[in-house]
């Protein structure tokens, strides 16, 4: 498994990278108020900057996959309707960027919000929705514009292709329902 295959695929890792970046910024701000040696001062700001870039990398990777998945679904719908390859609607660059920005904001909000604020009573997609008692946690898959329920403590996994749950203690892997 390479770094690229894991980046932006695991909600637990995305949330952890956000929490690490936030904690590093808090520590850096606290240390900045104390007198330090100049060489240490630069390192104080480098650590939170690198952790923030890691979090942004997760967000961008997820948003890119979700946007490409939305494009593939739109092309598949065009094919189903019977449009020829030359008549198929191509998404303009502006629509790509708007979809990418939307996915980026949704992923950022999902990782930055407190865990329980994101998944209370499965009201994440529909006010009428309630998750069953054996799977009380609701997750959102912004790429597919759907919500799904997982057992307590399980990890909700999402990709442009599908939504799935991984058992407690494992993480999401890939786009096809795999856990590790």
């Amino acid at each position: 498994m390479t770094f690229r295959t894991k980046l932006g695929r695991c909600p637990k890792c995305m949330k952890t990278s956000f929490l690490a970046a936030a904690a590093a910024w808090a520590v850096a701000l606290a240390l900045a108020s104390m007198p330090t040696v100049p060489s240490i001062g630069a390192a104080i700001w480098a650590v939170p900057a690198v952790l923030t870039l890691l979090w942004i990398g997760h967000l961008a990777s997820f948003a890119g996959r979700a946007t490409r998945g939305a494009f593939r679904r739109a092309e598949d719908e065009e094919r189903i309707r019977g449009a020829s390859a030359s008549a198929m609607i191509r998404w303009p660059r502006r629509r790509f960027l708007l979809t990418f920005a939307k996915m980026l904001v949704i992923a950022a909000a999902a990782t930055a919000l407190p865990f329980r604020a994101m998944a209370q009573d499965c009201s994440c997609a529909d006010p009428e929705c309630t998750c069953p008692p054996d799977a009380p946690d609701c997750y959102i898959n912004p790429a597919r514009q759907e919500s799904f329920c997982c057992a307590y403590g399980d990890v909700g996994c999402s990709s442009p292709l599908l939504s799935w749950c991984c058992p407690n203690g494992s993480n999401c892997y890939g786009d096809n329902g795999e856990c590790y």
Side-chain angles (χ1 to χ4, degrees):
M1 249 185 311
T2 65
F3 181 72
R4 186 174 180 261
T5 60
K6 293 171 84 174
L7 195 66
R9 296 180 189 270
C10 172
K12 185 177 178 182
C13 296
M14 290 171 69
K15 181 106 175 142
T16 302
S17 67
F18 167 75
L19 292 173
W25 280 109
V27 169
L29 289 171
L31 291 176
S33 64
M34 298 179 194
T36 61
V37 178
S39 63
I40 295 175
I44 289 172
W45 298 111
V47 172
V50 168
L51 290 173
T52 302
L53 288 174
L54 175 65
W55 178 58
I56 291 171
H58 276 287
L59 298 179
S61 177
F62 175 83
R65 283 185 313 102
T67 303
R68 284 190 306 274
F71 279 38
R72 280 192 295 268
R73 275 196 318 279
E75 287 176 350
D76 290 345
E77 288 172 8
E78 287 289 319
R79 277 191 210 98
I80 290 170
R81 281 190 245 143
S84 67
S86 60
M88 283 180 41
I89 299 171
R90 299 287 177 217
W91 279 25
R93 194 175 325 147
R94 182 178 296 152
R95 188 166 177 194
F96 175 86
L97 291 174
L98 289 174
T99 304
F100 181 85
K102 177 182 165 185
M103 295 300 170
L104 191 72
V105 167
I106 290 171
T111 58
L113 289 175
F115 185 70
R116 292 293 170 218
M118 170 177 83
Q120 289 181 350
D121 300 327
C122 192
S123 62
C124 47
D126 182 6
E128 303 291 317
C129 176
T130 56
C131 286
D134 60 332
D137 291 339
C138 181
Y139 293 89
I140 297 174
N141 182 344
R144 296 178 53 85
Q145 298 176 354
E146 67 184 12
S147 63
F148 59 102
C149 301
C150 292
Y152 180 76
D154 284 0
V155 177
C157 306
S158 60
S159 78
L161 304 176
L162 84 138
S163 304
W164 73 99
C165 303
C166 284
N168 191 5
S170 65
N171 288 315
C172 312
Y173 175 73
D175 288 335
N176 298 317
E178 300 172 39
C179 303
Y180 74 94

